[in-house]
Amino acid sequence: MNSNLANTSACEQTKVHPLDQATFREAMSRIAAAVHVVTTDGPAGRFGATVSAVCSVSDAPASVLVCVNRSSRVHSAILENKVFCINTLAIDHEDISDVFAGRGNLSMDDRFRHTAWTPMSTGCPALEDALLSVDCEVQSITEMGSHSVIIGTVADLRMNEPGSSLLYVRRGYHALHG
């Protein structure tokens, strides 16, 4: 019986919040996520943006997904170019994350001048010292709310020596040492 009382006390300490946009955003800020810059290049031009919603889908065929805000410039460019590259950032890439998140209001060309890039097999820019660059051809797009879930089949990938991954949680950067 005492264990039930202990569980009741723990439940009473948990605050109930309304399920609104602000509460949901706060809840999602508590999930640690790796930080990436998604890039594209082709007829629509060269674009990039900082993203955190990335994951593998399958190894046969090798595929990944990225969630991109439909109002962003990179979104329409990915749709027109039909290719994208996910560049996984290391702990010393906070400045690159900030630049591609739009801090500093730099032009897209100036954002890419901030560091060294090389083209992958699709022509997408790959960050030379990214922990991982995954070059993809768009396979499918599903719209959900303000974002598109873009699944790509992997055309090429590049891995550098393992380092500390850049994470974002509770609205701040952290490192995952591995």
Side-chain angles (χ1 to χ4, degrees):
M1 189 163 206
N2 286 341
S3 64
N4 286 340
L5 291 175
N7 288 340
T8 302
S9 299
C11 290
E12 289 173 1
Q13 293 174 6
T14 303
K15 291 179 98 179
V16 177
H17 298 278
L19 184 54
D20 57 23
Q21 192 174 22
T23 302
F24 182 74
R25 283 184 179 201
E26 175 58 28
M28 293 301 99
S29 78
R30 297 174 185 203
I31 299 174
V35 182
H36 315 270
V37 171
V38 63
T39 61
T40 189
D41 202 354
R46 183 173 67 165
F47 290 89
T50 301
V51 297
S52 60
V54 170
C55 73
S56 64
V57 175
S58 177
D59 63 357
S63 51
V64 296
L65 69 76
V66 61
C67 298
V68 179
N69 191 309
R70 288 198 320 268
S71 68
S72 68
R73 294 183 292 169
V74 73
H75 180 272
S76 59
I78 289 172
L79 269 55
E80 187 174 335
N81 292 339
K82 298 180 176 50
V83 293
F84 64 91
C85 182
I86 297 167
N87 297 278
T88 303
L89 302 184
I91 188 60
D92 59 341
H93 290 145
E94 283 185 35
D95 59 331
I96 295 167
S97 174
D98 286 343
V99 163
F100 280 91
R103 293 179 185 94
N105 295 318
L106 299 175
S107 71
M108 197 57 65
D109 286 338
D110 286 340
R111 293 177 194 193
F112 279 100
R113 283 189 203 105
H114 194 74
T115 191
W117 302 86
T118 57
M120 297 286 282
S121 67
T122 66
C124 288
L127 179 63
E128 286 187 3
D129 61 347
L131 295 176
L132 171 67
S133 295
V134 184
D135 194 31
C136 301
E137 297 171 348
V138 173
Q139 179 66 36
S140 69
I141 302 163
T142 302
E143 293 183 0
M144 179 63 187
S146 59
H147 284 63
S148 289
V149 179
I150 304 171
I151 296 177
T153 53
V154 178
D156 194 8
L157 61 82
R158 180 181 307 144
M159 291 185 283
N160 284 311
E161 290 300 314
S164 297
S165 297
L166 182 62
L167 298 183
Y168 197 77
V169 64
R170 293 207 168 209
R171 296 178 178 81
Y173 293 115
H174 301 274
L176 175 63
H177 303 285

